[in-house]
């Protein structure tokens, strides 16, 4: 299930299940979106990206969906594995600068 | 390719001292580097953007005299936390954007700073 902690929402799934992590972005002018995975004590690692002229993009075991109408982004992970356990952040950018704005993050806990 | 390193990975210092953190792009030239701070169980917060050869642009609420940023070459940016205090203890992460793809940011592994 999904729960909200003090700062970080947590999604707990069983190994082998599919995971869906959601993100609401803030700026309707953003035109490029990225999902990052961050393991404990490490820097963010790029997973997948999508531009605003698309609504779906697939990678290996991951799919990103973009709904610009409601400013919503989701990351789907198929057949979740213990190695997928990490914090996942969405980030948005666009406009005159290349600054990334990070979402709150979701902790994905995969139960064996 | 596209590797970014940070040094040191961890540092413990006494209150009042200054700490320098280095960020290097190892196999590409970075026209822009970014510095982020991350507190436990929180997201990354952008502190400043630095372009090679020019002054850094700081985000609102970030003291430029406390967090000195130097981007002297296309492969190196440094962040100096001056007169560090316990509240400066955090995880500092840099990222670098290559000239060929300025919307892309490659992240370093982070530096854990603990101020006693």
């Amino acid at each position: 299930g999904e729960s909200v902690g003090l700062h970080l929402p947590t999604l707990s799934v069983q190994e082998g299940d599919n995971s869906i992590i959601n993100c609401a972005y803030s700026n309707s002018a953003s035109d490029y979106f990225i999902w990052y995975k961050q393991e404990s004590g490490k820097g963010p690692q790029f997973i997948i990206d999508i531009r605003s002229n698309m609504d779906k993009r697939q990678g290996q075991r991951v799919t990103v969906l973009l709904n610009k109408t409601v400013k919503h982004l989701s990351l789907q992970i198929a057949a979740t594995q213990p190695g997928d356990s990490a914090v996942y952040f969405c980030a948005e950018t666009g406009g005159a600068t290349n600054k990334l704005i990070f979402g709150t993050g979701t902790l994905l806990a995969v139960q064996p | 390719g596209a590797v970014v390193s940070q040094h040191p990975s961890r540092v413990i210092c006494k209150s009042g001292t200054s700490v320098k953190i280095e960020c290097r792009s190892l196999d590409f030239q970075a026209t822009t580097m970014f510095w982020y701070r991350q507190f436990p169980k929180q997201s990354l917060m952008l502190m400043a953007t630095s372009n090679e050869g020019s002054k850094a642009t700081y985000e609102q609420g970030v003291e430029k005299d406390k967090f000195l940023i130097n981007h002297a070459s296309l492969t190196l940016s440094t962040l100096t936390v001056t007169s560090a205090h316990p509240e400066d203890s955090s995880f500092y992460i840099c990222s670098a954007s290559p000239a060929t793809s300025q919307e892309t940011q490659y992240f370093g592994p982070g530096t854990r700073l603990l101020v006693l």
Side-chain angles (χ1 to χ4, degrees):
Chain A
E2 191 169 312
S3 63
V4 177
L6 276 176
H7 296 290
L8 210 58
T10 300
L11 176 64
S12 184
V13 299
Q14 290 294 124
E15 181 178 357
D17 286 353
N18 296 332
S19 302
I20 299 176
I21 300 170
N22 297 301
C23 174
Y25 64 92
S26 58
N27 188 353
S28 55
S30 294
D31 58 7
Y32 181 50
F33 306 88
I34 310 119
W35 278 101
Y36 291 95
K37 173 185 180 183
Q38 187 181 27
E39 295 175 294
S40 182
K42 297 184 179 179
Q45 174 189 351
F46 172 92
I47 302 173
I48 192 168
D49 59 0
I50 189 167
R51 297 194 180 276
S52 59
N53 61 353
M54 304 173 69
D55 52 23
K56 180 179 180 178
R57 189 153 188 243
Q58 287 185 289
Q60 189 174 17
R61 274 202 315 120
V62 294
T63 301
V64 55
L65 299 177
L66 174 63
N67 185 331
K68 294 181 289 293
T69 304
V70 294
K71 293 193 290 186
H72 184 268
L73 200 62
S74 69
L75 176 70
Q76 300 177 1
I77 303 174
T80 314
Q81 302 167 2
D84 295 326
S85 294
V87 177
Y88 289 81
F89 293 98
C90 66
E92 59 183 297
T93 186
T97 71
N98 293 322
K99 293 196 291 188
L100 282 175
I101 300 171
F102 280 82
T104 328
T106 297
L107 173 62
L108 176 65
V110 182
Q111 311 300 323
Chain B
V3 177
V4 175
S5 70
Q6 282 184 238
H7 178 80
S9 57
R10 305 179 65 161
V11 57
I12 301 172
C13 70
K14 292 182 179 179
S15 188
T17 60
S18 294
V19 174
K20 181 185 283 188
I21 303 170
E22 293 185 347
C23 176
R24 292 182 187 273
S25 56
L26 299 185
D27 48 6
F28 66 97
Q29 293 188 325
T31 48
T32 306
M33 287 185 169
F34 302 85
W35 286 96
Y36 297 84
R37 182 165 57 180
Q38 185 179 33
F39 292 108
K41 295 189 179 181
Q42 293 190 30
S43 189
L44 281 76
M45 296 300 295
L46 180 65
M47 299 174 68
T49 303
S50 78
N51 292 293
E52 186 266 337
S54 61
K55 289 184 178 179
T57 303
Y58 290 80
E59 294 300 298
Q60 193 171 12
V62 178
E63 299 174 57
K64 62 180 178 163
D65 294 329
K66 180 165 184 65
F67 299 99
L68 301 178
I69 292 172
N70 184 281
H71 191 161
S73 77
L74 285 171
T75 59
L76 173 65
S77 176
T78 60
L79 168 69
T80 301
V81 184
T82 62
S83 186
H85 287 97
E87 58 266 29
D88 298 323
S89 299
S90 190
F91 194 49
Y92 292 87
I93 306 171
C94 73
S95 69
S97 291
T100 53
S101 179
Q102 293 193 26
E103 68 180 359
T104 302
Q105 292 187 31
Y106 298 102
F107 284 84
T111 296
R112 176 77 60 192
L113 171 63
L114 176 61
V115 185
L116 302 176

